[in-house]
């Protein structure tokens, strides 16, 4: 029989990969229960009931029996750390007692998929209080809260990024129970906004293996290669050396003008262009380990040497990134950081003669958000790369302004939050043409200089940070300055001292 994973209280991919204590999930469950105990209106005898993710086909509507490698639904993982599909889990709010309900699989399942864990083995693996089968759940739930009929708290609410709704647990016989669909989502999402120390350790590891893989791509990419070869190099490195079987999102391996496509790498543009000498590259890759994410973007010239034109844009974005990194601390409003990044880029483009006029006037008409950075500064990160809690009730609402409306949160920063800082500057023909036709915006353009950047693509510099009591902790450590990048791509290993 194969070794179990988790085993002896830890999830690990072996070798030199991180050992993640399953106590992490017990601590999350405790956090959720404590939050609910402080929430008015939670009925006595309440039980959290979550339904884990299920297997699916290749895509929506697919009828085949083959699909992608299963990855657990994030709320369920946050509570239980269960790797397999089709589980349910319950938590007694008053006592914290946790129960997993595993699917009862036919004996023949073992022929195809290997050993079927027993309830005792599942209990040992995930360190919960009890394990039963799903078909026992209706009868068993009646007794778990010490009440004749417990109230089931179900997870139902919107993801403010995707617009999709979470799936509340459902099972045959649910009509016999009292249910509440309003309380749990807000409270559990709020719990996920700030990370525990054990969660931060996993996020640090995910950022580390992504950073080292980015550096390997930076060292090995050459003009004449295909963009997908950079993607393949990253995927191999994070899995072979870091144990990361999954990435958090489709890899964006953009060269040249493709760098102006914010989510390049999708099915219609599958990282299939040839990397050309002189191209600016924008590689946005992030490994996932134990369902915890990273999100790192590096921009640099394909041939390892910046031109003066590339330096203008790159250094503007880098200065914006570092200005935000220095300013972030508890109590700071995230939307103010977005505006700081916009202002910094506009200042540098003006100083370089690409723009003209007052930066204050540019900010007043939102030139940055309408033309050069049509996305938000960054987002929460955790079990989802665009993690939950951005626009929960009681927090600042989403702006209607270009750029700002793409911010995935406008919250006040607090200790224990994990975010990305990802300012950018892009030269998108559609946005440039629209701005040139608009007198409110075109008056700031030095047209000949702007036209020099058509086809340039873009620059994004994305880092992963933790908000600490006094400021920030930078988790993604890669060559960032022009000198560091040119040195590393030229074979100078001195930057590796940052990882020792």
């Amino acid at each position: 029989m194969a070794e179990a994973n988790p085993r002896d209280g830890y999830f690990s991919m072996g070798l030199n990969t991180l050992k993640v204590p399953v106590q992490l999930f017990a601590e999350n469950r405790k956090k959720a229960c404590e939050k609910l105990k402080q929430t008015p209106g939670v009925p006595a005898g309440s039980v959290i009931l979550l339904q884990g993710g299920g297997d699916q086909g290749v895509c929506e509507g697919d009828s085949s029996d083959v699909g992608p490698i299963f990855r657990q639904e994030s709320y369920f993982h946050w509570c239980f750390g269960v790797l397999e599909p089709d589980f349910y889990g319950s938590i007694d709010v008053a006592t914290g007692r946790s129960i997993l309900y595993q699917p009862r699989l036919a004996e023949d399942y073992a022929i195809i998929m290997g050993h079927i864990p027993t309830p005792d083995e599942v209990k040992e693996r995930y360190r919960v209080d009890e394990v039963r089968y799903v078909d026992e759940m209706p009868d068993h739930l009646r007794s778990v809260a010490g009440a004749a009929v417990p109230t089931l708290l179900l997870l139902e609410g919107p993801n403010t990024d995707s617009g999709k709704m979470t799936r509340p647990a459902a099972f045959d016989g649910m009509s016999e129970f009292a249910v509440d669909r309003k309380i749990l989502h807000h409270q559990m999402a709020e719990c996920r906004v700030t990370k525990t120390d054990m969660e931060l350790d996993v996020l640090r590891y995910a950022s580390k293996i992504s950073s080292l893989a980015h550096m390997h791509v930076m060292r090995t990419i050459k003009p004449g290669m295909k963009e997908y070869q950079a993607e393949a190099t990253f995927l191999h490195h994070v899995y072979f050396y870091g144990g990361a079987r999954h990435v958090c999102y489709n890899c964006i391996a953009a060269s040249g003008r493709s760098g102006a496509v914010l989510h390049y790498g999708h099915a219609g543009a599958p990282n299939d262009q040839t990397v050309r000498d002189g191209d600016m590259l924008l590689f946005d890759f992030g490994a996932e380990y134990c369902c915890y994410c990273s999100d790192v973007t590096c921009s640099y010239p394909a041939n390892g040497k910046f031109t003066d034109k590339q330096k203008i844009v790159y250094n503007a974005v880098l200065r914006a990134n570092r200005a935000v990194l220095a300013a972030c601390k508890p109590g700071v409003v995230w939307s103010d950081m977005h505006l700081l990044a916009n202002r910094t880029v506009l200042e540098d483009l003006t100083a370089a003669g690409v723009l003209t006029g007052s930066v204050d006037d540019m900010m007043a008409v939102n030139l940055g958000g309408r033309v050069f950075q049509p996305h938000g500064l960054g987002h929460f990160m955790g079990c989802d790369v665009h993690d939950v809690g951005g626009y929960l009730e009681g927090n600042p609402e989403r702006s209607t302004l270009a750029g700002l409306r793409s911010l995935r949160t406008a919250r006040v920063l607090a200790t224990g939050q994990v975010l990305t800082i990802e300012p950018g500057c892009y030269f998108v023909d559609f946005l440039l043409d629209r701005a040139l036709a608009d007198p409110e915006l075109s008056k700031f353009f030095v047209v000949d200089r702007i036209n020099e950047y058509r086809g340039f693509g873009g620059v994004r510099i994305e880092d992963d940070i933790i908000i600490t009591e006094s400021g920030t902790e930078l988790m993604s450590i890669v060559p960032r300055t022009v000198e560091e990048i040119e040195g590393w791509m030229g074979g100078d290993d001195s930057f590796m001292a940052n990882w020792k």
Side-chain angles (χ1 to χ4, degrees):
M1 186 170 65
E3 292 182 358
N5 191 19
R7 182 185 183 191
D8 298 328
Y10 292 88
F11 168 88
S12 173
M13 293 296 283
L15 299 177
N16 295 317
T17 63
L18 182 68
K19 293 179 67 176
V20 180
V22 295
Q23 181 62 28
L24 180 157
F25 307 105
E27 189 170 321
N28 287 347
R29 294 193 294 271
K30 180 180 178 182
K31 185 178 182 180
C33 289
E34 289 176 348
K35 183 77 170 173
L36 288 166
K37 288 176 185 177
Q38 299 166 8
T39 301
V42 176
S46 288
V47 173
I48 298 169
L49 182 66
L50 300 177
Q51 183 174 354
D55 269 328
Q56 61 181 15
V58 174
C59 62
E60 184 179 359
D62 175 56
S63 64
S64 76
D65 61 352
V66 176
I69 298 169
F70 176 74
R71 192 274 196 192
Q72 187 59 263
E73 190 276 327
S74 292
Y75 280 101
F76 196 81
H77 179 82
W78 185 85
C79 279
F80 295 104
V82 171
L83 303 177
E84 302 92 338
D86 301 322
F87 273 65
Y88 289 74
S90 70
I91 311 166
D92 181 349
V93 174
T95 66
R97 180 174 173 79
S98 56
I99 303 168
L100 284 172
Y101 299 93
Q102 68 178 107
R104 193 187 295 272
L105 302 172
E107 289 183 353
D108 287 352
Y109 182 92
I111 299 171
I112 307 291
M113 303 295 281
H115 173 70
I116 301 172
T118 66
D120 285 343
E121 289 170 336
V122 172
K123 179 181 176 183
E124 164 61 22
R125 184 176 297 183
Y126 296 113
R127 302 294 173 94
V128 291
D129 295 302
E130 189 176 358
V131 176
R132 295 292 187 107
Y133 288 106
V134 171
D135 55 29
E136 299 175 304
M137 186 168 62
D139 290 336
H140 189 256
L141 277 172
R142 292 186 181 91
S143 65
V144 296
V149 181
T151 298
L152 304 181
L153 305 183
L154 306 183
L155 187 72
E156 184 172 39
N159 182 305
T160 53
D161 287 323
S162 68
K164 299 176 182 177
M165 297 289 287
T166 57
R167 178 179 67 168
F171 61 91
D172 290 339
M174 178 175 277
S175 60
E176 301 173 18
F177 294 84
V179 300
D180 185 288
R181 298 169 181 265
K182 296 180 179 179
I183 294 173
L184 184 60
H185 180 268
H186 179 99
Q187 304 306 331
M188 191 169 283
E190 187 62 41
C191 285
R192 285 179 57 185
V193 170
T194 56
K195 275 55 179 179
T196 66
D197 289 343
M198 284 187 280
E199 287 184 291
L200 292 177
D201 284 342
V202 190
L203 289 161
R204 288 185 183 102
Y205 177 77
S207 292
K208 176 180 179 179
I209 61 176
S210 289
S211 297
L212 292 172
H214 266 286
M215 291 172 64
H216 184 63
V217 173
M218 193 180 294
R219 178 68 66 85
T220 55
I221 192 69
K222 297 289 186 293
M225 294 174 65
K226 286 290 189 177
E227 294 166 334
Y228 63 74
Q229 291 180 288
E231 175 184 11
T233 300
F234 180 87
L235 295 174
H236 171 76
H237 199 280
V238 294
Y239 197 4
F240 190 89
Y241 295 103
R245 195 176 196 188
H246 295 272
V247 287
C248 313
Y249 51 91
N250 290 339
C251 290
I252 299 169
S255 64
R257 66 171 58 249
S258 299
V261 181
L262 299 186
H263 282 181
Y264 182 74
H266 57 79
N271 296 327
D272 59 354
Q273 300 300 297
T274 301
V275 175
R276 304 189 186 283
D277 193 8
D279 276 353
M280 196 70 185
L281 307 179
L282 189 159
F283 290 167
D284 187 341
F285 308 142
E288 176 182 294
Y289 187 80
C290 194
C291 291
Y292 279 86
C293 296
S294 62
D295 189 356
V296 180
T297 305
C298 296
S299 300
Y300 47 89
N303 60 16
K305 292 291 184 182
F306 284 85
T307 65
D308 289 343
K309 189 168 76 170
Q310 289 169 340
K311 286 179 183 178
I312 288 170
V313 180
Y314 185 85
N315 284 330
V317 177
L318 179 61
R319 194 166 77 86
N321 174 288
R322 288 328 192 215
V324 172
L325 182 64
C328 283
K329 61 182 179 180
V332 167
V333 178
W334 186 239
S335 52
D336 289 345
M337 296 296 92
H338 176 95
L339 296 174
L340 171 61
N342 280 179
R343 176 177 287 276
T344 303
V345 170
L346 294 174
E347 287 173 348
D348 282 19
L349 293 181
T350 302
V354 179
L355 300 176
T356 185
S358 163
V359 173
D360 286 341
D361 292 343
M362 296 176 195
M363 293 294 293
V365 299
N366 192 21
L367 182 66
R370 292 167 69 181
V371 181
F372 296 107
Q373 188 192 302
H375 64 74
L377 173 66
H379 48 82
F380 286 140
M381 188 175 71
C383 290
D384 291 310
V385 68
H386 299 151
D387 215 13
V388 297
Y391 289 101
L392 290 176
E393 185 178 348
N395 291 285
E397 296 183 355
R398 189 185 294 271
S399 172
T400 59
L401 297 176
L404 278 165
R405 65 171 171 253
S406 298
L407 271 178
R408 298 180 190 274
T409 187
R411 290 179 66 145
V412 176
L413 300 183
T415 303
Q417 293 174 348
V418 172
L419 301 101
T420 65
I421 296 175
E422 49 180 301
C425 181
Y426 313 88
F427 296 88
V428 183
D429 284 338
F430 163 69
L431 294 179
L432 293 174
D433 291 340
R434 188 166 69 179
L436 285 167
D438 183 345
E440 185 178 53
L441 303 180
S442 62
K443 64 184 180 181
F444 299 112
F445 284 12
V446 179
V447 177
D448 290 345
R449 294 297 309 279
I450 284 287
N451 286 336
E452 289 176 8
Y453 282 94
R454 289 185 182 269
F456 176 93
V459 169
R460 181 162 65 250
I461 300 175
E462 181 175 19
D463 283 308
D464 302 340
I465 67 164
I466 302 168
I467 304 299
T468 66
E469 291 182 358
S470 59
T472 60
E473 176 188 332
L474 177 64
M475 295 189 289
S476 47
I477 301 174
V478 293
R480 285 303 193 199
T481 68
V482 167
E483 294 74 21
E484 288 171 344
I485 290 170
E486 291 186 345
W488 176 255
M489 294 182 74
D492 181 354
D493 290 337
S494 59
F495 189 84
M496 284 303 298
N498 292 282
W499 279 115
K500 294 179 180 177

